[in-house]
Amino acid sequence: MDGRFAPSPSADLHLGNLRTALLSWLAARAQGSAWRLRIDDLDTGRSRPDIAARQLQDLALLGLTHDGDVPTQSARTARYAEAFGQLQRSGMVYPCFCTRAEIREASSAPHGAPTAGYPGTCRDLTPAQRAERAAEGRPPAWRFRSDPEPVRIEDMVLGPQTLPAEDAVLRRADGEFGYQLAVVLDDADQGVQEVVRGADLLSSVATQRQLQDHLALPRTAYAHVPLMVGPDGVRLAKRHGAATLHDVLQGRCELALPGLTCGQPASPEQLRGALAASAGLVPAGSTPSLLELTQQFSYARLPGQSTMMQRCS
Ligand code: GLU
């Protein structure tokens, strides 16, 4: 089943992103399938073409060859608009006039802990209420009218999952389209059949599956792979220190990787081996070829939990 990797070009790929890319590549190549790339630059304010170019270079340095061209979401607005119109005509979206602050307030449980998702404030407004709010002049965002029935999937890594969908914003008040809409169209148009990505995106599955069904797109299979987390247990990010491919090549990576010595430059092959070792695929310190890694790959070998990274001391 054809796979893909779809980085957001707002920051250079860090070790966690690189490992997810490697696992996604291996999953596709182990089946003899195609592997696609896409630049998820929907968030135009935070996306930078120079970062996108470096992301592609980094993947190439690791040997992760891709098939076909590399679409960018920012060039696909017409496609998103067409599908959005289809959903609008079939009553699957509704205008939402809430501000962020109102959503935060309405979704706070009495004890102060926010409940997941949007509380549905604007879901069932009457036409008169809608007209009244529209007359106030604030343009609405448009939300998906999700089905309250949870979605069941068999995740290739995590096993059976029962997940609720969300009334995700499919078109923002400023006219930009939302991630959930874009991603299902992108995957369908690129022929992606198996979505391999970080476990932090598991909560998007139900919304994406319902959107696929409403838009009559093929259903994708899912494999949510374990994340790398910092010493604080939180998803790896810039604040955990230097941890890009070039930091590793130049010996200034601040996170310790299995088989690599902190402060010493490593080659792309060594980094690849270290990423594979951190996912339990090979012993630490080995530098397997991509062919060897492909032959050994199986979802069953991936760890059941996030990989906690330690800082170089
Ligand atoms: N662009 C998203 C990200 O970088 C990934 C989207 C996806 O894999 O569905 O987090």
Side-chain angles (χ1 to χ4, degrees):
M1 290 199 282
D2 291 355
R4 52 80 158 170
F5 183 63
S8 302
S10 52
D12 286 323
L13 300 175
H14 58 56
L15 296 175
N17 306 132
L18 294 168
R19 187 173 81 168
T20 299
L22 175 64
L23 297 177
S24 164
W25 189 93
L26 289 172
R29 298 309 194 201
Q31 308 172 59
S33 298
W35 190 66
R36 317 266 175 207
L37 286 179
R38 177 174 83 232
I39 299 297
D40 277 4
D41 61 349
L42 209 54
D43 186 347
T44 45
R46 294 180 61 222
S47 298
R48 288 185 17 205
D50 57 319
I51 295 181
R54 269 205 305 280
Q55 291 179 330
L56 299 184
Q57 279 166 14
D58 290 357
L59 297 171
L61 272 174
L62 283 182
L64 307 185
T65 51
H66 66 273
D67 298 286
D69 56 4
V70 182
T72 51
Q73 290 183 325
S74 57
R76 288 176 44 78
T77 310
R79 172 73 168 118
Y80 306 148
E82 178 209 339
F84 178 79
Q86 197 179 324
L87 292 170
Q88 204 168 25
R89 283 190 297 280
S90 55
M92 292 314 299
V93 290
Y94 63 86
C96 171
F97 300 90
C98 297
T99 61
R100 278 185 196 191
E102 281 163 358
I103 295 171
R104 253 198 318 274
E105 208 171 297
S107 64
S108 291
H111 49 87
T115 54
Y118 174 66
T121 319
C122 293
R123 188 172 158 120
D124 296 313
L125 295 182
T126 63
Q129 287 171 320
R130 272 193 195 134
E132 197 180 300
R133 281 168 180 69
E136 285 166 16
R138 203 168 59 204
W142 290 84
R143 287 183 181 271
F144 177 46
R145 187 176 292 282
S146 65
D147 184 341
E149 187 66 26
V151 167
R152 287 173 214 284
I153 60 149
E154 184 72 30
D155 188 275
M156 319 277 274
V157 179
L158 302 173
Q161 304 287 319
T162 304
L163 302 158
E166 280 185 17
D167 283 11
V169 171
L170 300 189
R171 184 166 205 174
R172 298 185 344 196
D174 63 7
E176 295 214 11
F177 292 98
Y179 158 74
Q180 305 288 7
L181 178 65
V183 82
V184 295
L185 294 164
D186 295 340
D187 284 337
D189 293 351
Q190 279 191 290
V192 171
Q193 296 158 314
E194 186 170 300
V195 171
V196 182
R197 60 186 177 192
D200 55 332
L201 286 168
L202 180 67
S203 61
S204 290
V205 163
T207 308
Q208 292 177 3
R209 171 55 61 82
Q210 290 189 4
L211 281 168
Q212 286 169 344
D213 288 354
H214 280 296
L215 292 166
L217 302 172
R219 291 180 165 185
T220 43
Y222 291 97
H224 288 87
V225 299
L227 292 181
M228 279 188 172
V229 298
D232 54 358
V234 178
R235 186 176 190 271
L236 217 58
K238 254 191 181 159
R239 69 194 157 74
H240 290 114
T244 67
L245 178 134
H246 291 280
D247 295 327
V248 174
L249 300 195
Q250 289 161 20
R252 52 183 167 78
C253 181
E254 292 176 63
L255 296 175
L257 273 163
L260 299 188
T261 310
C262 284
Q264 296 221 343
S267 66
E269 292 73 26
Q270 286 172 314
L271 169 59
R272 206 168 60 204
L275 292 172
S278 78
L281 296 178
V282 292
S286 54
T287 47
S289 68
L290 278 168
L291 181 63
E292 285 164 334
L293 279 175
T294 307
Q295 284 162 347
Q296 287 171 35
F297 180 80
S298 110
Y299 286 126
R301 300 185 59 189
L302 299 180
Q305 290 170 355
S306 308
T307 308
M308 189 173 282
M309 306 298 288
Q310 298 302 331
R311 289 187 81 87
C312 287
S313 46

